[in-house]
Amino acid sequence: METATPVVLPSDVDHRTPKHVAIIMDGNGRWAKQRSLPRTAGHREGVKSVRAAVEESVRRGVQILTLFAFSSENWRRPRSEVNILMELFMSALRNEVRRLHENQVRLRVIGERGAFPEKLQHRIAEAEALTAENGRLNLQVAANYGGRWDIMQAARRLAAEARAGRLDPDRIDEALFADYLSFPDLLEPDFFIRTGGEQRLSNFVLWQSAYAELYFTDTLWPDFDEAAYGLALDDYARRQRRFGRTGDQVETETMSPLSLYARG
Ligand code: IPE
Ligand code: IPE
Ligand code: MG
């Protein structure tokens, strides 16, 4: 007897595939060290994993992918490493943007970009403008980004609105506050992955990940290929998101738990 192909209902796909995946791409330095290579060789190799994550996200129907490329704390690294990371960012923009555009990927950079060299800021703006109308995948690269910085800049802008008399502080609620964060128009991350073995958030999207499912893997970022990402997505698919409710409530609920919490 032939085995029937399991039927995947659209509603299953909906809740089993995260709409928004956020990844801390960690472990490049250790990958290089294991091979007696300079740390920067690990960063170069890591670009391949970025490509793999983008392509697999498109294949699996992930709508938003947010990648942590450079934290507000990474300026503390040796000047030479910071310089190479900036150059790599420049060359990745130069080499990858056309391909992203062809694949209908919209690129956005989140973080305090004013600290970057002018040329890099210019190239970022060009890439964002070129891909602005694309709708297949929203790719956000977090560069000079910090979760606390994000919350702080929102608070500062809200305070300025209040001072100018345009906003009554009593009107500030979670939804309004979130409108001032870095990606107000996109859903919050459902799935938060960190490669490289550390189990910490390192100041990545803090407010927006309040209810994200966490996934930590020892795999170093340059080794995190389509298959490794696929395993992570499969792990997500087996989880039950409760958002404060009981498991029984979720099982009998017809609406996807995502739609109860997610904004946008
Ligand atoms: C992540 O890899 C890349 C950046 C922070 C830019 P690391 O460079 O932190 O690699 P490890 O943690 O030292 O192995
Ligand atoms: C977090 O990794 C930042 C990025 C991956 C861009 P780090 O390697 O800088 O984090 P810590 O310092 O070990 O927490
Ligand atoms: Mg690290």
Side-chain angles (χ1 to χ4, degrees), residues 25-31 39 43 69-70 74 77 81 85:
M25 311 185 285
D26 196 21
N28 295 349
R30 279 162 289 162
W31 183 92
R39 292 178 54 81
H43 298 316
F70 192 86
N74 286 146
R77 294 192 176 196
E81 181 167 341
L85 283 167

Side-chain angles (χ1 to χ4, degrees), residues 39-111:
R39 292 178 54 81
T40 49
H43 298 316
R44 285 183 214 290
E45 191 69 18
V47 177
K48 292 184 190 158
S49 300
V50 171
R51 224 176 272 145
V54 168
E55 283 166 13
E56 192 63 12
S57 292
V58 169
R59 254 196 302 278
R60 303 272 293 230
V62 170
Q63 295 168 15
I64 308 155
L65 177 66
T66 300
L67 301 175
F68 205 7
F70 192 86
S71 76
S72 37
E73 289 73 35
N74 286 146
W75 296 107
R76 296 177 184 154
R77 294 192 176 196
R79 188 72 223 163
S80 55
E81 181 167 341
V82 170
N83 286 343
I84 288 189
L85 283 167
M86 295 297 146
E87 282 168 24
L88 204 59
F89 199 7
M90 278 290 277
S91 67
L93 281 170
R94 190 170 44 235
N95 301 331
E96 306 292 326
V97 167
R98 185 176 306 176
R99 191 174 163 138
L100 290 174
H101 190 43
E102 279 165 13
N103 286 308
Q104 293 167 47
V105 176
R106 177 176 186 182
L107 175 74
R108 277 193 269 190
V109 173
I110 57 169

Side-chain angles (χ1 to χ4, degrees), residues 119-208:
K119 241 166 76 183
L120 181 52
Q121 290 184 48
H122 186 68
R123 188 154 291 169
I124 291 171
E126 272 178 359
E128 287 178 332
L130 176 73
T131 61
E133 303 301 322
N134 295 341
R136 195 133 171 237
L137 173 75
N138 274 286
L139 173 63
Q140 301 197 96
V141 175
N144 194 19
Y145 178 88
R148 286 186 176 176
W149 165 82
D150 200 354
I151 294 168
M152 182 275 299
Q153 65 79 26
R156 184 183 280 161
R157 287 195 292 133
L158 279 160
E161 288 290 292
R163 186 176 54 195
R166 289 191 291 267
L167 172 71
D168 172 1
D170 288 339
R171 272 191 50 227
I172 301 174
D173 56 13
E174 288 187 17
L176 185 72
F177 195 92
D179 282 343
Y180 284 77
L181 292 168
S182 281
F183 43 96
D185 56 328
L186 299 178
L187 296 166
E188 295 177 353
D190 306 299
F191 197 30
F192 186 119
I193 298 175
R194 182 176 190 139
T195 64
E198 312 298 348
Q199 303 198 357
R200 53 178 173 255
L201 306 181
S202 298
N203 198 17
F204 197 24
V205 281
L206 297 178
W207 172 290
Q208 299 93 329

Side-chain angles (χ1 to χ4, degrees), residues 243-260:
F243 300 98
R245 293 171 306 155
T246 67
D248 287 348
Q249 279 179 299
V250 174
E251 271 165 32
T252 52
E253 182 61 69
T254 49
M255 211 190 322
S256 144
L258 276 178
S259 58
L260 293 177

